[in-house]
Amino acid sequence: GPDNLPSAEKMKAERIYNAYARPGVAAAIAFALAVFYLFSGIRPSDTAFVRRATYCCGVALYMLEIYMLLMMAAIWWISGHIPMSNGPETMMFMALAALTGALCVRRNGLLRGALLLVAAMSLAVSAIGGRTPRIGALMPVLSSPLLSVHVMLVMLAYVLFVLMAVLSAVALCSKDKARQASLAVTNRVILTPAVFLLAAGIFTGAVWANCSWGRYWGWDPKETSALVMLLIYAVPLHSGMRCLSALNRPKHLHLFLLIAVLAVAFTYFGANYLLPGKHSYA
């Protein structure tokens, strides 16, 4: 009925959103910034040109962050729910988290560049998945507040997993042993909160599943893939064991983390789009 129609203000806002929401353009900008910061982190320079370029890129990063915040806020206001109900929205949240992280690491150009590359990849996936921009109503099964907590925790874990893969790729491409060792230390620092976030996401997802479907665990493809991913990333945390001592070597750790990110890709793309299950709507 007429009472179910959105207000004139929201319809106008959605038209504006459809006209100006360009995650593909944002992805290109984030990628360009990532390339600059990665190169400046690998080959630092203090010339006047580099200083001016760094300032301009910093301004562009702030503008990109504001743009993403406005897009997410618009979806939230128009739809009436936190924008994490489908693939493009979760990718936008992942990009926003990566951009926020990039803003917080001012003095580490390499880490900032890696985070911007994560944001660029997330925005590219969002652009591919949302070629026809639309803001739909929330499905009843997704109305639980636990959903937002569950998705936030998991997507933040994804950001850290992909970040570790990017840093590992940089380390493996570098012949500098000191840089490889330094990035291995960075990845070990990131690994613990990443595994914790994923475990917390799985736990809150189980509670949400019990509220929505009447069971905590059903061996759904997405649930099973997430569990396998958790076990894979828990392996380096036990590198003190004799059978896993090889992962104490930086090169071996980087290779493991670079391969392990395939589990993240399969959990998100494979379980969502290829395998039938209760998470197919995501």
Side-chain angles (χ1 to χ4, degrees), residues 54-77:
T54 302
Y55 174 79
C56 293
C57 287
V59 173
L61 176 55
Y62 274 102
M63 293 177 66
L64 189 58
E65 173 84 0
I66 293 171
Y67 175 74
M68 290 301 303
L69 284 170
L70 290 174
M71 282 208 299
M72 296 291 284
I75 298 174
W76 194 340
W77 182 65

Side-chain angles (χ1 to χ4, degrees), residues 78-120:
I78 294 167
S79 65
H81 58 80
I82 299 175
M84 292 186 192
S85 61
N86 55 49
E89 290 177 3
T90 56
M91 283 289 102
M92 287 174 64
F93 172 78
M94 187 172 168
L96 181 60
L99 287 172
T100 304
L103 285 173
C104 294
V105 288
R106 295 184 177 182
R107 297 183 180 181
N108 192 328
L110 186 57
L111 188 56
R112 173 174 275 193
L115 282 163
L116 280 164
L117 188 57
V118 175

Side-chain angles (χ1 to χ4, degrees), residues 68-251:
M68 290 301 303
L69 284 170
L70 290 174
M71 282 208 299
M72 296 291 284
I75 298 174
W76 194 340
W77 182 65
I78 294 167
S79 65
H81 58 80
I82 299 175
M84 292 186 192
S85 61
N86 55 49
E89 290 177 3
T90 56
M91 283 289 102
M92 287 174 64
F93 172 78
M94 187 172 168
L96 181 60
L99 287 172
T100 304
L103 285 173
C104 294
V105 288
R106 295 184 177 182
R107 297 183 180 181
N108 192 328
L110 186 57
L111 188 56
R112 173 174 275 193
L115 282 163
L116 280 164
L117 188 57
V118 175
M121 289 187 287
S122 303
L123 286 167
V125 174
S126 177
I128 294 171
R131 289 180 178 177
T132 304
R134 62 185 184 277
I135 301 174
L138 189 66
M139 294 177 62
V141 72
L142 305 180
S143 60
S144 171
L146 282 173
L147 168 69
S148 300
V149 178
H150 164 63
V151 176
M152 283 182 184
L153 291 171
V154 172
M155 298 313 293
L156 288 173
Y158 283 4
V159 169
L160 297 182
F161 290 146
V162 179
L163 172 62
M164 288 188 292
V166 172
L167 293 177
S168 292
V170 172
L172 291 172
C173 291
S174 174
K175 297 181 180 179
D176 188 342
K177 299 295 183 181
R179 173 170 289 145
Q180 290 182 1
S182 175
L183 290 176
V185 172
T186 301
N187 274 344
R188 289 192 183 278
V189 171
I190 296 172
L191 182 62
T192 300
V195 171
F196 171 80
L197 286 169
L198 179 60
I202 292 173
F203 176 80
T204 54
V207 176
W208 168 55
N210 185 57
C211 296
S212 301
W213 301 320
R215 86 313 181 255
Y216 289 98
W217 193 266
W219 297 106
D220 181 81
K222 187 66 172 284
E223 296 170 350
T224 307
S225 299
L227 178 60
V228 171
M229 180 170 59
L230 177 65
L231 295 175
I232 289 173
Y233 277 99
V235 170
L237 294 179
H238 299 82
S239 58
M241 299 173 61
R242 182 177 299 178
C243 60
L244 299 176
S245 60
L247 292 177
N248 289 320
R249 300 176 184 175
K251 186 175 181 179

